[in-house]
Amino acid sequence: MKWWFRQSLTIKIFVGMLAGMIVGLLYPPIANIKFVGDIFIRFIQVAIVPLVFAVLVVSMASIDLRSFGRLGVKVLFFYTFTTVVASIVGVILANIMKPGAGLDPSVLSKLTPPKPATPPPLAEIFLNMVPSNIVDAAAKGSMIQIVVFAIVFGLVMGVVGKKAEPVRAVLEGVYQIMVKMVWVIMEMAPYGVFALMAWLTAVTGLKALLPLGKYILATIIGVTFQTFIVVSIFVALIARVNPWQFYKRSLDYMMVAFTTRSSAASLPIALQVAEQKLGIHPRIAGFSLPLGSVMNQDGTAIWWPIAAIFIAQLYGLPITLEQQVYLVVLVNLIGLGSTGIPSGGIILLAMTLTGMGWPVEGIALIIGVDAIPDMFRTTLNVVDDLSGALMVAATEKGMLRRDILSGERELSPDEITFTGVAKE
């Protein structure tokens, strides 16, 4: 038992997934243990609304709209635009590859999917994004309405200033409590995943697991396309920089992100690479890179639609064009609330599935192998942050040292700040 408690959560979840598959195949009556997995899913669901509301309000309140300026508008526009492109890439790829499709109807009938609702017209979808009663929206789990309200509430709180500090302090406290609660919930993940995987394999056999490889492949293809095609186009056209030179100078940072799977942990190295190897002025790097680590999650924006559609297809649910448009909007809005949340990708995937009305239990099939797609997602996240800073610097006079970017000149130790703050 001591060995078990010494392992990381990722290894525990992977072991739980494998053990659940094996036990479910060898002893089908184990399917009755599904209630343990359902309890785990319910704990995730109950934490979503207060967690996301608190983190979005606090994040939005920290943005000073009055002093945001031209630089802030450029950074915000780039990050928002690339995230929208990434989510569309994810939806298109999921439609092309259909990672969750192909299960036998007799297997699908055993999964007891929710009854598919008739999707409303496109205009009504956008109208329904704005809540008429936030308490009712929270009670019904209308996630997109909660997100929209939280964003507006947080921005207005930032404008109000000191008078709103008591409310902000309360919400920061709620955020800290919910983050701790999520840590506790995620400690249950290996056992919840074991129960759900045991149920799934006991009921369907290995047939439900076959699409998993296609799902992983679809995620890797989508992230790779965004990383080396979409980002290259932006870097070449806007920054007028050879994409190969950009990737070559950013390689160290990309490897750190790939191995640590953490955008936040890679931030100090990002500030160093931006200044020392890409020639980006510390003022640009110090503003755009921390902001990007919070709100520019393109790797995750590609993954969420692929994962959500994979689960919906696995359960045999019809997916309309209107639902896919709604999914793109939802993914871009909830992405603003992913920072600082333990296992934020999985938690907010649960939020996405809830908002779409798709089975949250499908997460059990994904969470056990999430480490593989997560390496690629994180790498794209940090590459996008650097490319955004590079493009903004290229459009600001005197903010990009092309001699450093090309490798013609190296900064001396005294010239490197490592902090994103220019020396006087």
Side-chain angles (χ1 to χ4, degrees):
M1 289 300 291
K2 289 183 179 180
W3 170 85
W4 175 254
F5 290 110
R6 286 198 302 263
Q7 303 309 308
S8 67
L9 183 60
T10 300
I11 292 177
K12 288 180 180 178
I13 291 173
F14 185 71
V15 170
M17 183 190 74
L18 288 180
M21 290 166 51
I22 295 170
V23 174
L25 288 172
L26 298 179
Y27 185 66
I30 196 71
N32 294 326
I33 203 176
K34 180 177 181 287
F35 75 93
V36 176
D38 291 338
I39 291 173
F40 167 63
I41 294 297
R42 287 196 178 192
F43 269 118
I44 289 179
Q45 290 174 311
V46 80
I48 286 174
V49 172
L51 173 64
V52 173
F53 180 79
V55 72
L56 275 174
V57 171
V58 172
S59 298
M60 294 299 105
S62 64
I63 299 176
D64 188 351
L65 294 177
R66 289 167 293 192
S67 61
F68 205 55
R70 185 182 72 250
L71 180 61
V73 170
K74 284 184 178 181
V75 173
L76 193 62
F77 173 79
F78 170 76
Y79 286 160
T80 302
F81 183 73
T82 55
T83 303
V84 172
V85 171
S87 59
I88 293 173
V89 168
V91 169
I92 292 174
L93 198 60
N95 278 279
I96 293 173
M97 296 191 66
K98 294 181 170 52
L103 279 185
D104 187 270
S106 62
V107 175
L108 290 174
S109 64
K110 298 176 182 178
L111 296 179
T112 60
K115 296 179 180 178
T118 303
L122 193 57
E124 190 174 335
I125 287 177
F126 286 100
L127 176 63
N128 289 337
M129 289 171 56
V130 182
S132 58
N133 185 324
I134 189 59
V135 176
D136 183 62
K140 293 180 178 178
S142 180
M143 300 312 306
I144 199 163
Q145 293 186 356
I146 296 168
V147 169
V148 169
F149 178 78
I151 291 172
V152 175
F153 189 90
L155 290 173
V156 173
M157 180 185 290
V159 172
V160 171
K162 291 184 178 180
K163 292 182 179 180
E165 282 301 318
V167 178
R168 180 172 179 170
V170 169
L171 288 173
E172 286 180 343
V174 171
Y175 167 62
Q176 294 298 330
I177 292 170
M178 296 311 301
V179 165
K180 185 63 176 178
M181 184 174 176
V182 169
W183 276 115
V184 174
I185 292 170
M186 290 308 297
E187 288 298 322
M188 298 169 53
Y191 314 103
V193 169
F194 169 82
L196 290 170
M197 290 302 297
W199 162 76
L200 185 65
T201 52
V203 170
T204 67
L206 290 175
K207 293 180 181 179
L209 305 180
L210 296 178
L212 194 58
K214 195 189 293 186
Y215 148 74
I216 295 174
L217 182 62
T219 303
I220 293 174
I221 289 175
V223 169
T224 303
F225 176 82
Q226 181 84 4
T227 303
F228 295 106
I229 303 300
V230 176
V231 171
S232 293
I233 291 172
F234 283 128
V235 167
L237 294 182
I238 299 177
R240 300 193 179 281
V241 171
N242 185 328
W244 166 248
Q245 189 70 16
F246 167 72
Y247 292 118
K248 180 181 177 182
R249 304 289 283 177
S250 307
L251 184 60
D252 292 346
Y253 181 40
M254 293 169 65
M255 292 305 299
V256 169
F258 186 82
T259 53
T260 64
R261 295 163 45 207
S262 172
S263 300
S266 307
L267 184 57
I269 299 174
L271 292 168
Q272 176 186 346
V273 169
E275 182 181 1
Q276 185 181 16
K277 294 192 174 183
L278 298 180
I280 300 172
H281 193 279
R283 182 183 167 213
I284 302 285
F287 175 77
S288 60
L289 292 177
L291 183 63
S293 69
V294 171
M295 65 168 295
N296 190 33
Q297 304 288 329
D298 286 12
T300 311
I302 287 177
W303 170 67
W304 274 327
I306 292 175
I309 291 175
F310 164 70
I311 291 171
Q313 290 173 343
L314 193 68
Y315 278 77
L317 297 175
I319 305 172
T320 66
L321 178 61
E322 289 81 4
Q323 285 177 309
Q324 294 179 49
V325 172
Y326 183 81
L327 179 60
V328 169
V329 175
L330 184 60
V331 162
N332 281 274
L333 289 177
I334 68 174
L336 298 174
S338 61
T339 178
I341 300 176
S343 303
I346 293 295
I347 298 297
L348 295 182
L349 174 59
M351 178 180 173
T352 303
L353 293 168
T354 300
M356 297 299 298
W358 294 342
V360 181
E361 312 90 74
I363 287 177
L365 197 59
I366 287 175
I367 191 173
V369 296
D370 187 56
I372 299 172
D374 193 30
M375 292 178 180
F376 292 87
R377 297 197 309 259
T378 305
T379 303
L380 172 55
N381 289 342
V382 301
V383 166
D384 248 14
D385 293 346
L386 274 182
S387 65
L390 180 68
M391 282 181 276
V392 172
T395 59
E396 293 284 324
K397 187 176 180 180
M399 291 292 176
L400 180 62
R401 295 283 302 273
R402 293 186 181 272
D403 57 338
I404 295 174
L405 176 61
S406 64
E408 296 174 10
R409 183 180 183 277
E410 294 289 336
L411 291 178
S412 68
D414 291 336
E415 294 176 295
I416 303 172
T417 66
F418 296 102
T419 60
V421 179
K423 293 181 180 179
E424 299 296 334

